Every structure is written in C-alpha cells, then in structure tokens.
C-alpha cells in the first residue's frame, strides 16, 4: 500500500520525509520531486532495492541507474577522482540540471546496473530532494515512469504509472519545465554530451572553454 504526502505544507513535509527515509532504509522505493522531473529512488548501496527500482520501471540492468547526492563533498567518496573540469561544472551548475558521468571509486560495493565502472551523478535543486538525500545519503534515482512512457511532472502522474510498486510518494507540486538533466561524460578525457537537457552546450562551453562534442 502506497502513501502520498503533500510536502507543500510544513507538517506534511516533515512527516513525508520521515516516512520516505524509513522506506529507503528498509529497502523500499520512494518517489520524490526534483528540479527536472519526478524521480523514483532507492538506497544506492542496496542491490535488491536497485533491482526493485529497475523492475518497477520495466527496465533491465543494461540501462543503469543514476545517483543523486545531497552535497558537493559527497562526490569525493564515490568516484576515483574529481577532474578539474568536473569541479568547474559542479561549481557552475550544482545543484541543478547537470549530470556528470565519472569513474566510480573501485572500493564501492553497489550494483547500479551495467555501468562499466562509471557512475552518473547529480545534485538536484529541490529542497525536498536535498533534505531526503542529506538524511539517507546517496540514492539511486531514475525518472518516475514506466520505460517507454513520458516522465512524470507531478506525483500523481508518477503514481498513475508506478502504483503500489512504490511505498512512499513525496508530492512537492509540479516540477519545473519537466526537462531532464543534461548528461556529460567526463571519463574519456574530452567532455561529451550524452543527453541534451536543462543545461545547454553553450553554457557548458562558457564554463570549460572548449567545444562540447555529442556522443556518437
């Protein structure tokens, strides 16, 4: 049975965050608002929970799950190293609509899918998401929709698609423009855009001082 919390009011937000944190710690799934689209999330270090997330979306491990963090400093413990280009982009666009693909720390015991030793990281610009992430730590979060269906711009749209597969829904009101994050791969030396989104290539070029290539 799912529970929906209206996080636009202080009391319900506090109760919702507590319920969501309990769900995550128990290996359950939550839907949370972000600054791009609504996300379905689980404890990034709980392989069974991540598998349940993929099953809820109807997705296989060949499409690995990104990780959301609640602070810049969290990144240092998740990746092999943070290159200067990554730090520049983090300072310019985090929290916000930019995801960075980096080499993960080899010591991490998690299974996000077929990542080939990389991890897709983002810090969202949404107070409810940040409060939850700071409470429970890094979360595996994907768009809150069934694969092949439109991303959810509201908690109601997410619930319509995911139903009782999710234990706790945090309703933070409609998401911004429902534009997904831009994904930039920094694992190959030269930055590459894997997905266009909220941050434009012109903005990326302004920060890095180099033309950004698209993935071929």
């Amino acid at each position: 049975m799912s529970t929906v919390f209206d996080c636009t009011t202080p009391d319900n937000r506090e109760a919702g965050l507590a319920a969501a944190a309990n769900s995550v710690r128990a290996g359950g799934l939550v839907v949370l608002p972000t600054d791009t689209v609504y996300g379905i999330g689980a404890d990034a270090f709980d392989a069974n929970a991540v598998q349940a997330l993929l099953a809820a979306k109807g997705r296989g491990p060949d499409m690995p799950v990104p990780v959301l963090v609640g602070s810049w400093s969290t990144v240092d413990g998740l990746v092999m190293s943070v290159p200067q280009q990554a730090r520049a982009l983090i300072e310019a666009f985090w929290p916000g609509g930019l995801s960075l693909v980096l080499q993960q720390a080899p010591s991490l015991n998690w299974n996000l899918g077929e990542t080939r030793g990389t991890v897709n990281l983002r810090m969202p610009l949404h107070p409810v998401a940040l409060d939850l992430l700071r409470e429970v730590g890094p979360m595996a979060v994907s768009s809150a929709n069934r694969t092949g269906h439109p991303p959810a711009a509201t908690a109601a749209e997410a619930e319509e698609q995911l139903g009782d597969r999710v234990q706790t829904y945090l309703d933070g009101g409609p998401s911004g423009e429902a534009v997904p994050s831009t994904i930039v791969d920094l694992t190959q030396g030269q930055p590459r855009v894997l997905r266009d989104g909220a941050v434009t290539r012109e903005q990326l070029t302004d920060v890095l001082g180099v033309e950004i290539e698209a993935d071929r």
Side-chain angles (χ1 to χ4, degrees), residues 48-78:
N48 291 330
V50 174
Q51 178 57 43
L53 186 159
L54 290 170
K57 285 180 61 72
R59 173 182 290 186
D62 57 312
M63 300 178 71
V65 187
V67 172
L68 295 189
V69 298
S71 69
W72 292 6
S73 59
T74 304
V75 174
D76 292 297
L78 302 178

Side-chain angles (χ1 to χ4, degrees), residues 35-36 69 72 84-100 121-126 130 181-184 186 193 197-210 212:
D35 50 326
T36 55
V69 298
W72 292 6
Q84 184 54 45
Q85 288 181 325
R87 293 202 184 277
L89 292 173
I90 286 171
E91 290 175 6
F93 300 113
W94 279 19
L98 179 68
S99 299
L100 298 177
L121 296 170
R122 187 168 88 87
M123 181 180 177
L125 180 57
H126 196 289
L130 288 174
S181 65
T182 299
I183 302 177
V184 176
L186 294 174
V193 172
V199 176
T200 67
R201 297 192 196 188
E202 291 75 14
Q203 289 174 301
L204 297 171
T205 296
D206 286 345
V207 171
L208 298 180
V210 296
I212 308 300

Side-chain angles (χ1 to χ4, degrees), residues 138-157:
M139 291 180 63
V141 179
S142 185
S143 57
N145 60 288
R146 296 283 290 171
T147 296
H149 291 74
T154 66
E157 289 178 6

